[in-house]
Amino acid sequence: MSSAVADTTRYSWGGDEHIFVEMAESMSLPAHIKSMAITTSLRKNRPDGILEICPANASYQVRYNPDVIEPRALLAQLKEIEKQVGDATEFSLSTRILEIPVLYQDPWTTETLMRFRDRHQDPESTDIEYAARINGLSGVDEFIEVHSRSPWFTSMVGFVTGLPFMFQMVPQERQLVVPKYLRPRTDTPKQTVGHGGCFGCVYSVRGAGGYQMFGITPSPIYDSTLSMPDFDDFMVYFRPGDIVKFTPIDRDRYDDYVKEVEAGRYTIRARQVEFHPRRYLEDTDEFNARLLEVLDAD
């Protein structure tokens, strides 16, 4: 990890029950991994009085009971954990790699984005055409190839219930970057695959939104009824640390998946993996290739 991450850590109080820790002002995968390493260590050696531990994109927050743990003692403990974690390259995470099929340029997000061109930077093109152009790509086909070629790391889940925020697992200079709409839409189809800034996402439910829309997935990621196979004990599918592979599909394949969803048989393909920051940073492309092979293993 970059030493700049460690040098910019800022601790602040949130009322009488919270400590907020900002690892870096700019959001990056190294800053997030350091946040995750610290909060994982805190969970493993959780002192009495810690009520909640919440990692985010480049920060984390701890809620505590001041009647049980002295606030400044907790602050000192957090700083000590940060010192022990260092640059977090020795951190490892047992997590999942997931395959999320995507129908790019689908009719539903296309119809929606055309209704809101007056809120977009480029009213004369679609979202994916605009994203390809400003990222210096030859067109939509190359954009889809770049978007789906590398895995994505889930840094946090929220804002809208069940919505994952994801960093593209490539060197920062190769990340796809696309600004949000100039003004948010009042409608976004459920399970839209979107992008804002450096973050990819999947909209868990239908509603307002400002991220660019590239396609749609048949994979349900939120089920308040807990009736589908992937939702035995919790209504939200994604977890921080999940690694995602977007796989392009055609309309026929999309329709087949939807039939499986409606019949209650659909499950997201997932495998257990170990994420090692040091190996990832030493050779990102090689690490990603090995990671994606896990999905194809029996």
Side-chain angles (χ1 to χ4, degrees):
M1 302 293 161
S2 169
S3 61
V5 172
D7 294 339
T8 58
T9 305
R10 183 170 63 188
Y11 293 80
S12 56
W13 302 102
D16 296 329
E17 296 185 347
H18 297 85
I19 296 179
F20 177 71
V21 185
E22 187 178 45
M23 310 311 303
E25 290 187 2
S26 61
M27 295 181 185
S28 66
L29 186 53
H32 172 70
I33 291 170
K34 184 171 181 181
S35 168
M36 183 169 281
I38 292 170
T39 53
T40 298
S41 176
L42 186 62
R43 284 193 184 95
K44 288 180 179 178
N45 303 283
R46 188 174 187 143
D48 291 341
I50 298 295
L51 303 177
E52 295 178 84
I53 304 168
C54 182
N57 290 321
S59 62
Y60 70 92
Q61 184 163 279
V62 177
R63 181 179 173 223
Y64 60 92
N65 183 344
D67 293 329
V68 177
I69 185 168
E70 203 280 319
R72 296 197 177 277
L74 174 58
L75 177 62
Q77 183 172 354
L78 297 179
K79 289 183 176 181
E80 179 59 29
I81 293 174
E82 182 186 1
K83 187 183 301 183
Q84 293 171 2
V85 164
D87 61 7
T89 53
E90 300 307 317
F91 172 65
S92 65
L93 177 70
S94 295
T95 187
R96 305 179 295 180
I97 184 167
L98 319 171
E99 183 177 45
I100 301 296
V102 182
L103 177 59
Y104 289 91
Q105 300 188 100
D106 65 282
W108 305 282
T109 61
T110 299
E111 185 277 331
T112 302
L113 67 87
M114 293 308 295
R115 283 192 280 124
F116 293 96
R117 297 328 283 166
D118 62 321
R119 307 182 185 210
H120 197 273
Q121 292 88 343
D122 186 355
E124 302 303 316
S125 68
T126 65
D127 291 6
I128 198 167
E129 289 169 344
Y130 169 69
R133 178 170 58 80
I134 67 170
N135 280 277
L137 303 175
S138 60
V140 169
D141 289 344
E142 186 180 6
F143 182 88
I144 292 172
E145 197 276 329
V146 171
H147 188 268
S148 60
R149 178 175 57 204
S150 60
W152 297 70
F153 192 94
T154 304
S155 57
M156 61 178 283
V157 180
F159 186 71
V160 174
T161 302
L163 183 151
F165 288 80
M166 293 173 279
F167 284 108
Q168 191 177 18
M169 292 174 62
V170 294
Q172 200 160 1
E173 64 274 11
R174 284 165 46 194
Q175 284 182 340
L176 295 170
V177 178
V178 191
K180 295 187 289 185
Y181 275 44
L182 298 174
R183 291 184 293 126
R185 301 176 302 274
T186 56
D187 190 22
T188 308
K190 177 176 70 173
Q191 292 157 210
T192 290
V193 174
H195 198 102
C198 67
F199 288 105
C201 80
V202 180
Y203 283 79
S204 51
V205 296
R206 183 176 182 178
Y211 278 23
Q212 308 286 336
M213 297 184 290
F214 300 153
I216 200 163
T217 177
S219 304
I221 63 169
Y222 172 73
D223 178 14
S224 61
T225 67
L226 303 182
S227 60
M228 299 196 64
D230 284 328
F231 301 87
D232 291 336
D233 57 359
F234 195 50
M235 65 182 68
V236 171
Y237 184 78
F238 272 89
R239 310 167 194 161
D242 280 342
I243 296 170
V244 175
K245 169 65 171 70
F246 291 119
T247 298
I249 57 173
D250 60 20
R251 177 62 188 271
D252 288 342
R253 190 61 172 152
Y254 176 87
D255 290 343
D256 288 342
Y257 281 139
V258 169
K259 289 175 184 176
E260 290 184 32
V261 172
E262 292 172 345
R265 297 192 304 267
Y266 182 87
T267 58
I268 293 174
R269 198 150 71 100
R271 298 286 187 272
Q272 291 297 126
V273 293
E274 291 290 322
F275 177 70
H276 300 280
R278 180 179 293 281
R279 297 179 195 171
Y280 168 75
L281 291 170
E282 286 174 349
D283 192 335
T284 298
D285 292 336
E286 174 66 17
F287 183 88
N288 287 345
R290 298 283 185 184
L291 200 61
L292 295 176
E293 288 175 359
V294 174
L295 275 174
D296 298 324
D298 293 331

